[in-house]
Amino acid sequence: MKARSGHIRFPKKTRYRDLAEIFPKLFYTFLEETGQVHPDEPEVDRMLLSLNMADLKENRKPEGYNRPGSIRMIFPLSGRVEFYIAADAKVTEVVHTTQRLSQILEEAGLHHTVEWDQMYLDELKRRKQQGG
């Protein structure tokens, strides 16, 4: 299976701070799975993690990993706790990475749902293909 985006959505009662304990594992797993670890500059990864953790601990929406690269981890402005893994094209890495992060969340007891290709642009493309 290939997907352009994998969306992980949490129940409405979930708060950003609920992700703080597990986020380091999510963050480093994302970097490893997508081949975006900075082995020559580990302080870059630690700094990005630190910024995300500060937001989570204050119950604020974190940035995720929105750097130039093949795949990103985005926390959208949506009014609820969610994030998605996105690439510029449909690729198996999005599916694999999303499933791996979902597994980590399940092991931590954090309830969530996973959906595929739910980006607004994907919806516009579907409508256009259907003639509407």
Side-chain angles (χ1 to χ4, degrees):
M1 176 179 162
K2 293 181 180 182
R4 183 172 179 270
S5 61
H7 303 257
I8 295 178
R9 295 187 169 123
F10 298 90
K12 290 186 183 208
K13 65 181 181 185
T14 305
R15 302 291 173 245
Y16 286 113
R17 71 175 60 124
D18 297 337
L19 301 179
E21 185 176 330
I22 195 70
F23 190 77
K25 187 171 184 176
L26 291 172
F27 185 77
Y28 282 115
T29 299
F30 167 80
L31 292 178
E32 290 168 5
E33 294 288 337
T34 60
Q36 298 184 90
V37 175
H38 296 95
D40 297 335
E41 299 176 349
E43 64 275 358
V44 172
D45 296 336
R46 285 194 301 271
M47 186 234 1
L48 292 172
L49 176 61
S50 177
L51 293 171
N52 280 286
M53 290 300 295
D55 286 334
L56 290 169
K57 288 177 181 177
E58 293 296 320
N59 202 36
R60 294 186 306 250
K61 180 191 86 60
E63 178 183 348
Y65 190 84
N66 193 13
R67 300 287 186 261
S70 59
I71 300 178
R72 298 172 183 206
M73 173 193 280
I74 307 292
F75 285 81
L77 293 169
S78 67
R80 64 185 288 184
V81 177
E82 65 179 304
F83 66 93
Y84 60 89
I85 306 305
D88 293 335
K90 288 189 174 200
V91 293
T92 57
E93 290 86 353
V94 166
V95 175
H96 178 77
T97 302
T98 303
Q99 290 173 334
R100 182 69 184 106
L101 298 182
S102 175
Q103 180 183 25
I104 291 168
L105 291 165
E106 285 176 13
E107 290 168 359
L110 289 167
H111 299 288
H112 63 282
T113 60
V114 176
E115 297 175 10
W116 307 104
D117 293 329
Q118 297 295 306
M119 306 284 286
Y120 181 67
L121 290 176
D122 292 323
E123 177 62 26
L124 291 177
K125 286 180 186 178
R126 279 191 289 275
R127 288 182 188 174
K128 187 175 181 178
Q129 289 173 348
Q130 294 172 352

